[in-house]
Amino acid sequence: MSILTDKKGSLELLCPAGDLTRLKTAVDFGADAVYIAGEEFGMRTASANFNNEDLKLGVEYAHAHGVKVHVACNVIPHEDEIARIPQFLTYLNEIGVDAVIASDLGTIGMVKEYAPNCELHISVQSGIVNSATATAFYNMGAKRVVLARELSLEEIKKIRENTPPELEIEAFAHGAMCVSFSARCLLSSYMTGRDANRGDCAQPCRWSYNLVEEKRDGQLFNITENEKGTYILNANDMCMAAYLDKIKDAGVCSIKIEGRAKTEYYVAVTANAYRGAIDSLDAAKGEWQLPAWVADELDKISHRTYSTGFYFGRPENAQSYKDAGYIRNYAIAAVVDGYQDGCIIATLKNKFASGTILDCLEAGSAPFDVDTTELYNEDGIRLESANSPMMQIKIPFEREIKTGSMLRMKI
C-alpha cells in the first residue's frame, strides 16, 4: 500500500498525464494524484502513454512529491490481451503504483491476484449509477468507484448514503464529455473500425452530419440551417469548478480532470486552477465562492463551450450544433528557464513584439502580468521583437519566477 498520507477532509485533485513530461507538470502544478496508462490496456491510444521505464520514473517522481499514481487498465480486453495483463499488473505492483483503474470483470479479478498492494478503482466505463452496483464492486475488493457522468448531485448523495463509508467516490469535474453513456460507444467502431472501448475512438460524434434521402443519391440535406452541416452528436465540455462545494457535499472525495490526450499546457492550467479552487474551498469560512481568477484561467485553455453536465439534472446547454471547434484565446509565448541578474530567462515558443504584456502561469499562484517593454536576447542586446522560436530571451522582472512557468499572450 502507498505510504502517502491522504489529505483528510479535502477533495483530492486527480489530474491526467499522457506521458512523463505531463505527469511532472501535473505534480508540479498541484495534483494530489495523477492517472496514467501503460502502452497497452488504457482508454487513450492517442496519448503517448508510458513504457515500463517511464512508469517507474513517473511513480518515483510523484511519490517524491507526495502525489499518488493511478494506472488505467480499463479497456475491454480481447482474449489475446487478457493473457498479457498479469505480467503488466505484476510490474505495477512491484514499482509501487497506488491504484489500478479497471472495468472488465476479468481484469478486476486479476488486479486482486497480481497487484495485491494496489488499490482497485472501478472505471467510469463500468457505468455505475446506483448504490447496489457500487456496493457489489466494493464486495469484490474495490477501494473506489468512479461514478457514471450521467448522474445528478442528488443521485450521488443517495449513492453515498447507501454504500459502505469505506468506499470512496470519484467523479469527473472538468473536460470533454462523450455523447454515449459513460463513454461506452460503438459508433467509432462501426464507422471507422477504431474501437472506442479499447481506447481508439475516432470521435465521430464531433463530425458534421447531413440527412440523405435514399432515392436522391448524392444529395445532402442540412438538418439545420448551418451551411457547415449539423453537429447533432457534439457534446459540450464540462466545467464544475464553481460548484466544488456541492460536489464535496454530495459525498465525492476525488474530482477527476479529463484529458490524458491533452497538452502539457492544458494539464498545467487545469491543475493550477483546480488546486487554487480546492485550497480556497478548504480555507472558506461559511459560504464559498470560486475565486474569479480560477474561472478566468479555465477560459485560457482550448475548450468547447462549457456546461455542468448532468449534475443539476438534464442539461439545457449540453450540446453545440453549429460546429465542433474549440475556443482558443491564448498561446504560450515562452517558457521560463530561470532567473538571473534581475531578469527572467526564458525560451521563446511563439513570436511577440517588445511591449507585449504577457500573462504568467506559475505553479501555486494566481496569474500575473509580465511587461516586456524591455526585452533582450541572450547576449543582452535589446530587441524590438522576439521572433526566432527556441531563442533565449531575457525580461527584467522584480522577482524570481519558478522554472517551468509559462508566459502567455492573448491571440
Side-chain angles (χ1 to χ4, degrees), residues 161-177:
E161 291 168 359
N162 293 299
T163 50
E166 298 82 10
L167 178 64
E168 297 177 353
I169 292 178
E170 177 182 307
F172 280 88
H174 192 96
M177 294 282 284

Side-chain angles (χ1 to χ4, degrees), residues 40 45 99 158 225 318 406:
E40 287 191 287
T45 58
K158 292 177 182 177
E225 295 181 359
M406 301 177 186

Side-chain angles (χ1 to χ4, degrees), residues 83-303:
R84 297 193 296 274
I85 289 178
Q87 183 178 4
F88 180 64
L89 293 175
T90 299
Y91 181 71
L92 300 184
N93 193 66
E94 290 172 351
I95 65 174
V97 164
D98 298 282
V100 177
I101 308 166
S103 61
D104 172 72
L105 287 176
T107 304
I108 287 169
M110 289 181 176
V111 172
K112 302 308 296 179
E113 181 178 359
Y114 295 100
N117 295 329
C118 302
E119 292 180 357
L120 170 62
H121 293 184
I122 305 302
S123 172
V124 70
Q125 295 292 118
S126 294
I128 299 170
V129 295
N130 61 67
S131 59
T133 303
T135 301
F137 280 119
Y138 173 77
N139 291 334
M140 293 179 194
K143 173 69 173 177
R144 177 182 296 187
V145 291
V146 186
L147 295 183
R149 283 183 267 201
E150 293 74 23
L151 291 173
S152 69
L153 287 171
E154 288 303 314
E155 290 174 303
I156 293 173
K157 282 183 183 178
K158 292 177 182 177
I159 292 172
R160 175 70 286 171
E161 291 168 359
N162 293 299
T163 50
E166 298 82 10
L167 178 64
E168 297 177 353
I169 292 178
E170 177 182 307
F172 280 88
H174 192 96
M177 294 282 284
C178 180
V179 73
S180 294
F181 182 82
S182 290
R184 295 188 296 183
C185 183
L186 295 176
L187 189 61
S188 175
S189 182
Y190 280 128
M191 297 182 71
T192 70
R194 290 171 52 180
D195 191 343
N197 297 313
R198 290 152 60 78
D200 201 24
C201 184
Q203 294 196 323
C205 57
R206 308 297 182 188
W207 300 351
S208 171
Y209 289 92
N210 287 271
L211 183 67
V212 178
E213 202 280 324
E214 66 174 335
K215 295 182 179 179
R216 292 173 172 80
D217 186 40
Q219 294 186 46
L220 303 180
F221 301 92
N222 288 338
I223 302 172
T224 69
E225 295 181 359
N226 190 326
E227 70 280 0
K228 296 180 181 178
T230 302
Y231 295 81
I232 56 175
L233 303 176
N234 182 52
N236 286 337
D237 287 358
M238 178 196 291
C239 180
M240 284 293 289
Y243 306 100
L244 295 185
D245 55 339
K246 293 178 172 57
I247 290 179
K248 184 178 179 180
D249 289 344
V252 172
C253 74
S254 177
I255 59 165
K256 192 168 199 167
I257 310 299
E258 181 276 336
R260 281 198 295 115
K262 299 289 180 67
T263 65
E264 180 186 359
Y265 173 64
Y266 171 94
V267 172
V269 172
T270 52
N272 196 61
Y274 277 89
R275 176 80 274 142
I278 292 172
D279 289 349
S280 168
L281 176 59
D282 290 344
K285 301 287 191 282
E287 189 172 344
W288 172 76
Q289 189 171 7
L290 182 72
W293 73 265
V294 173
D296 289 343
E297 278 295 282
L298 296 174
D299 281 333
K300 293 174 184 175
I301 52 175
S302 179
H303 65 281

